[in-house]
Amino acid sequence: MPPTADERQLLDEVRDLLAATVEDLTVEEIGPDSSLQDDLGVDSLARLELVAAIEDRWQIEVPQEQAERLTTVRQIAAHLAEAVAAPTGGTA
């Protein structure tokens, strides 16, 4: 099933953020199913920087255990879709 417009936008935003965060990486090199470590060469320090950039950009918290399970660009976008759509606790 092809991605929706919202999913495509999130994927593009994650790709842009990855390219801006990880040295020597361009948006063109980053595919939706690219493995952060195997395909893109994202090491543990770059992963920490990426998680910090994601938390800052989307104003969410990504627990370390969750961050470690996000191994592809598509998984990150799917996590963001859920995290951004979910209420962040408390009553208004």
Side-chain angles (χ1 to χ4, degrees):
M1 175 166 51
T4 66
D6 287 345
E7 290 169 333
R8 169 59 47 204
Q9 181 179 353
L10 255 180
L11 281 169
D12 288 344
E13 289 183 48
V14 170
R15 291 172 64 220
D16 289 342
L17 191 65
L18 255 167
T21 305
V22 179
E23 194 172 320
D24 298 329
L25 197 58
T26 64
V27 172
E28 292 77 23
E29 296 174 272
I30 306 167
D33 295 308
S34 295
S35 164
L36 297 180
Q37 184 175 350
D38 297 337
D39 297 328
L40 305 176
V42 175
D43 62 16
S44 57
L45 180 58
R47 180 183 284 271
L48 289 173
E49 292 172 356
L50 175 62
V51 169
I54 287 169
E55 290 176 335
D56 186 53
R57 163 68 180 84
W58 280 278
Q59 298 297 302
I60 61 170
E61 187 174 330
V62 181
Q64 182 177 352
E65 319 77 63
Q66 182 66 42
E68 291 171 359
R69 288 193 298 266
L70 301 175
T71 60
T72 68
V73 176
R74 190 179 306 277
Q75 287 174 339
I76 293 170
H79 174 74
L80 286 170
E82 288 179 21
V84 172
T88 54
T91 55

